Amino acid sequence: MMIQTADSERLEQLMRAAREACRNAYAPYSNYPVGAAALFASGKIYAGCNVENASFGLTICAERNAIFQGAACGERRLLAVAIAVPASNHASPCGACRQVMREFAADCRIILLNDSDPPLESSLRDLLPDSFGPEFLQGK
Ligand code: THU
């Protein structure tokens, strides 16, 4: 499904922000740097990278880092997320990050980037079907 939310120039900026954020990845254990950028309904873009920890389970993924930056600035409606890796495959967002996206969007564009292939576009609804979201807790 194609979600009409942002003009192509804004999406270009989103992709650039994800690639730039990847350069700040702190990934000494996996050596798998990831950058992400989240576009919210305000039109603002927030970037994040993965930040690992010697206590491995404390690692935060790039996507959640970017989305939480937006949430901390008051953003509540997510439109699109770009995810960039320098690897030759595309990084599909992990299950935890998909669920965090779902908190701020019933559906959104997800654009996967690497250094060798054209961007690959998907959607949250495709990647997280039959999902559980905040509206399930309303009127309980
Ligand atoms: N990682 C992300 O940041 N996003 C993804 O979509 C996949 C995985 C990070 C977590 C960890 O720092 C490294 O990549 C290897 O799993």
Side-chain angles (χ1 to χ4, degrees):
M1 195 213 321
M2 186 72 170
I3 306 151
Q4 291 300 340
T5 47
D7 59 43
S8 58
E9 194 189 325
R10 203 74 187 118
L11 288 177
E12 284 298 327
Q13 291 165 345
L14 185 73
M15 291 191 271
R16 210 174 310 129
R19 291 189 197 279
E20 280 172 15
C22 190
R23 294 207 289 266
N24 290 327
Y26 177 72
Y29 307 109
S30 71
N31 289 310
Y32 190 79
V34 186
L39 173 66
F40 286 86
S42 67
K44 290 188 187 154
I45 288 170
Y46 299 83
C49 58
N50 54 337
V51 180
E52 298 185 347
N53 194 281
S55 178
F56 295 167
L58 299 184
T59 291
I60 182 85
C61 290
E63 297 91 322
R64 269 176 290 158
N65 197 347
I67 292 164
F68 290 158
Q69 306 257 4
C73 291
E75 302 286 358
R76 294 293 181 264
R77 196 152 72 84
L78 182 64
L79 301 183
V81 180
I83 304 157
V85 293
S88 56
N89 54 4
H90 284 114
S92 194
C94 79
C97 290
R98 294 176 194 197
Q99 187 63 38
V100 166
M101 291 175 198
R102 177 65 178 81
E103 189 67 23
F104 300 108
D107 198 8
C108 70
R109 297 173 79 157
I110 298 178
I111 303 163
L112 307 182
L113 307 163
N114 66 23
D115 282 350
S116 33
D117 303 301
L120 197 65
E121 177 152 354
S122 181
S123 72
L124 182 58
R125 199 158 267 165
D126 283 346
L127 294 186
L128 193 70
D130 300 325
S131 63
F132 181 83
E135 66 277 10
F136 283 73
L137 300 181
Q138 280 160 13
K140 61 190 180 311

